[in-house]
Amino acid sequence: MTIHKFFAAQALLPGGWAENVLFEVDGSGSFVGVTTNAAPAGTERAKGPVLPGMPNLHSHAFQRAMAGLAEHALPGASGGDSFWTWREVMYRFVAALTPEQVEAIAAQLYVEMLQAGYTAVGEFHYLHHGPDGRAYDDVAEMSRRTIAAAAATGIGITQLPVLYGYGGFGAQKAGEGQRRFLNVPSSLLRIVETLKASHEDDPQVRIGVAPHSLRAVTPETLDEVVKGLTALDATAPIHIHIAEQVKEVEDCLAWCGRRPVEQLMETRAPDARWCLVHATHMSEAETTALAASGAVAGLCPTTEANLGDGLFPAEPYLAAGGRWGIGSDSHISVSPLEELRWFEYGQRLATRRRNVLAGEAAEASVGRRLYTQALAGGAQALGRPIGALEVGRRADLVVLDPDHPEVATLSAERLLDAVVFAGNRNPVRDVMVGGQWVVQEGRHKDEERVQAAYVSAVKQLLS
Ligand code: NGQ
Ligand code: ZN
């Protein structure tokens, strides 16, 4: 097997910044050698400092094309616009989307993700059926579109077909706007099964499942889908939207007497396979319990700000050793650095302090801690061997631009602080996924074609 070798003068390894690192990548796209203090002898050289690529653990790809469509106050809703009115706009937007449009939108999004330094995505995918709610001839038609966009652009993907059965807690009937999302556990598991069969040996793809939220499933259907998935793949990831809105917490309390995180903890005991997306509203006891569970909290700071969700209890959760990662969710922003910045800024604004998430280590770097914890949590949540530059993991990495003002001037210890907090210019120069360069000098090889297809798909959709 041919081994691709390249050399970096500086790279962020699991043990910290290292110098003169020789990377060796096998034909499948995984690291087979990472040697420090090596000689560059004749090998390709990274142009700047190398970081692990960031996993994006939560995406609804189609929402990329909603940018700018939900920032007008709705008539009569002045001051009363909310997550719930945004959701109505979103339902109207998905009503006519075609599989071709979804693929074109996803490809544009994934190119943007790669250019921003995301090298893997978790696609929380619930747009399964045709506009009338009837399944396509291939029940996995829509899922295949996001996986095809990932393959075409080069990003790794964890496809999470969503179980969506009801319109609210206690098996309330789903609304008209939700008709394209609906499945029972057996029909959802058929989608999972067919996707698994198609991608069994592809190291760029993993298949999991996502019960949409405690609003959209019952304890019984949740149980059935988790059992069915486990029979197919005992370690496959399970993601769920959990406690994003205060109304969601109140409705859950009214339904079962427990808060959403509490209810999931009591009834399912989520472990390291689970990712709880938007665990925004938690009591102290829930925060400690989630941190102890080994599950990942899926945080989407820019979308959570955009939707007016509230603030995740980050300080106590991190202090308790809780695992977490980031997602761009509605893609109102597509930048891992901006997600991390706003994760910390939310805490600064709420506590009127600085460097809130720095941790206990002496002279701890906030940027470094946030970046490395988000790598670990993101990799765990996506169920793929990613998130670190070490033997056995996928060769997913970003090379920072040596001519970027901060990269050119700062030492390694300050670099992540600078790129996370100084959001003036994208510092990502080159991006490798699974051993292949997918972005070089800031450009993706298909960016023009992908954008032209996006523009034409969205114009058609909006006309
Ligand atoms: C979604 N998005 O499924 O796209 C949700 C909104 C819901 C976010 N939670 C819909 N950000 O939760 O019912
Ligand atoms: Zn979501």
Side-chain angles (χ1 to χ4, degrees):
M1 197 181 267
T2 52
I3 303 292
H4 175 194
K5 293 186 184 183
F6 67 99
F7 177 87
Q10 278 186 319
L12 185 63
L13 304 188
W17 282 103
E19 293 192 352
N20 300 325
V21 184
L22 181 69
F23 294 101
E24 294 169 89
V25 181
D26 70 10
S28 80
S30 296
F31 288 119
V32 290
V34 179
T35 312
T36 55
N37 303 316
T43 42
E44 182 184 5
R45 296 180 74 127
K47 297 291 188 301
V50 172
L51 299 174
M54 183 60 73
N56 184 341
L57 58 65
H58 192 66
S59 164
H60 307 289
F62 72 85
Q63 290 176 16
R64 171 64 185 83
M66 276 182 66
L69 297 183
E71 314 296 337
H72 271 210
L74 292 178
S78 170
D81 267 322
S82 69
F83 173 90
W84 308 102
T85 57
W86 170 86
R87 196 172 75 153
E88 289 305 319
V89 175
M90 187 267 278
Y91 288 170
R92 283 199 293 281
F93 181 79
V94 295
L97 267 178
T98 68
E100 294 73 21
Q101 289 163 346
V102 166
E103 187 170 342
I105 295 165
Q108 170 71 15
L109 171 66
Y110 297 161
V111 166
E112 292 170 352
M113 283 188 191
L114 290 165
Q115 288 173 323
Y118 286 122
T119 47
V121 61
E123 196 50 59
F124 194 108
H125 177 90
Y126 53 83
L127 185 60
H128 297 296
H129 307 311
D132 58 0
R134 280 212 302 261
Y136 290 103
D137 291 342
D138 174 357
V139 290
E141 169 77 44
M142 280 292 199
S143 276
R144 294 199 199 283
R145 299 298 181 144
T146 54
I147 296 174
T153 56
I155 200 167
I157 190 166
T158 298
Q159 181 76 13
L160 301 157
V162 170
L163 178 64
Y164 203 115
Y166 304 98
F169 291 103
Q172 292 168 42
K173 194 172 158 21
E176 270 298 287
Q178 297 160 336
R179 67 190 176 277
R180 301 189 70 179
F181 316 158
L182 304 178
N183 275 293
V184 293
S186 60
S187 60
L188 196 270
L189 288 165
R190 267 205 304 283
I191 296 176
V192 174
E193 224 169 326
T194 165
L195 292 175
K196 271 190 66 63
S198 305
H199 298 284
E200 203 64 75
D201 300 318
D202 187 346
Q204 289 289 97
V205 180
R206 182 97 196 245
I207 311 298
V209 132
H212 181 273
S213 54
L214 293 179
R215 291 172 270 131
V217 300
T218 63
E220 295 73 27
T221 60
L222 177 54
D223 194 48
E224 199 179 332
V225 84
V226 169
K227 280 204 179 111
L229 176 69
T230 303
L232 294 168
D233 179 347
T235 62
I238 306 164
H239 290 213
I240 187 168
H241 291 135
I242 192 71
E244 185 171 11
Q245 284 283 315
V246 170
K247 179 179 187 304
E248 181 172 31
V249 176
E250 289 166 354
D251 290 353
C252 189
L253 276 164
W255 165 61
C256 69
R258 295 193 189 107
R259 304 164 58 86
V261 172
E262 187 185 13
Q263 166 70 1
L264 193 74
M265 289 291 161
E266 293 280 334
T267 56
R268 289 245 52 102
D271 60 12
R273 279 176 81 186
W274 286 73
C275 177
L276 279 66
V277 183
H278 315 305
T280 310
H281 298 288
M282 292 195 287
S283 65
E284 275 176 43
E286 287 175 303
T287 306
T288 322
L290 180 57
S293 73
V296 172
L299 308 172
C300 310
T302 63
T303 292
E304 289 161 6
N306 184 270
L307 297 181
D309 288 345
L311 281 173
F312 177 78
E315 203 178 2
Y317 184 75
L318 266 60
R323 301 177 192 184
W324 60 278
I326 50 167
S328 60
D329 189 351
S330 69
H331 316 301
I332 196 68
S333 162
V334 183
S335 160
L337 303 174
E338 192 176 7
E339 297 305 334
L340 297 177
R341 182 182 321 137
W342 278 99
F343 186 38
E344 166 73 19
Y345 277 176
Q347 304 304 312
R348 292 191 191 187
L349 289 164
T351 64
R352 298 187 221 117
R353 289 164 30 221
R354 300 189 70 254
N355 301 335
V356 181
L357 302 177
E360 296 297 310
E363 301 221 22
S365 148
V366 187
R368 163 93 176 267
R369 184 168 191 238
L370 296 182
Y371 198 89
T372 53
Q373 293 199 352
L375 288 172
Q380 177 180 320
L382 296 188
R384 297 182 54 242
I386 54 178
L389 307 179
E390 66 181 355
V391 170
R393 306 258 187 161
R394 304 291 295 158
D396 291 4
L397 55 87
V398 309
V399 180
L400 298 177
D401 178 2
D403 299 327
H404 181 279
E406 279 76 48
V407 180
T409 50
L410 296 176
S411 66
E413 302 85 75
R414 302 286 175 188
L415 206 48
L416 280 165
D417 296 321
V419 297
V420 167
F421 290 102
N424 301 316
R425 203 201 279 181
N426 181 6
V428 174
R429 182 187 197 272
D430 306 306
V431 180
M432 173 182 280
V433 182
Q436 307 288 327
W437 291 113
V438 293
V439 171
Q440 289 183 300
E441 295 181 46
R443 296 176 55 80
H444 186 282
K445 68 178 181 345
D446 294 326
E447 64 182 48
E448 276 101 14
R449 187 180 56 74
V450 167
Q451 183 164 323
Y454 171 87
V455 168
S456 113
V458 176
K459 277 189 175 162
Q460 180 191 53
L461 180 69
L462 299 179
S463 70

